[in-house]
Amino acid sequence: MCWPRPVPVYATDAPIAELQPAELFAICILRLWVLHYRDPETAPMDWRAGFAHMHIDQQGEAGFDALLGLVARSAIRTLDIRCKRCPHLGEDEGWLLQLICLLQDDRIAEAAAILADW
């Protein structure tokens, strides 16, 4: 069963400077993860250092890695993930933030709709 994607909470191209610290952390880690995923030979695994710096255990790091790995391997379209220095939010970066919020609230159907669009 497919559910309609929820109404977006985050505007595409919104300044990332306006994000809350936890949201900004997720975007920074996402961008570093993508950089490493695209070019693991030259891009360092800096994204893992962010988890250690924030005292997030290895289960959180592994879960984040598993989620992004699943999305990267099964994506049906190119995702709008910006470079690490871009000051604006990509469309799919906003969807990732919304996905995280939905999962934290056990709103599985809406989260599944976001994942299905990817």
Side-chain angles (χ1 to χ4, degrees):
M1 172 180 230
C2 288
W3 296 278
R5 203 163 57 157
V7 174
V9 174
Y10 296 91
T12 301
D13 292 322
I16 63 170
E18 295 177 2
L19 295 174
Q20 296 298 313
E23 296 166 322
L24 187 56
F25 172 78
I27 295 304
C28 289
I29 295 296
L30 168 66
R31 290 177 177 185
L32 289 172
W33 188 94
V34 168
L35 186 65
H36 175 75
Y37 180 81
R38 287 181 180 156
D39 191 4
E41 295 297 319
T42 58
M45 295 182 66
D46 288 349
W47 70 272
R48 293 186 193 274
F51 280 89
H53 180 75
M54 297 301 290
H55 304 287
I56 299 173
D57 65 25
Q58 289 184 331
Q59 286 181 320
E61 176 188 309
F64 189 83
D65 187 35
L67 172 64
L68 293 185
L70 177 67
V71 169
R73 287 187 299 277
S74 61
I76 57 175
R77 63 177 175 80
T78 301
L79 302 182
D80 182 12
I81 308 296
R82 308 287 171 89
C83 73
K84 69 180 184 176
R85 290 190 176 91
C86 182
H88 298 98
L89 194 64
E91 178 182 5
D92 293 301
E93 293 172 330
W95 283 116
L96 176 74
L97 293 175
Q98 192 164 344
L99 173 69
I100 292 168
C101 291
L102 292 168
L103 291 172
Q104 289 174 336
D105 287 342
D106 289 325
R107 295 167 61 186
I108 304 304
E110 291 166 287
I114 292 171
L115 288 169
D117 182 64
W118 286 341

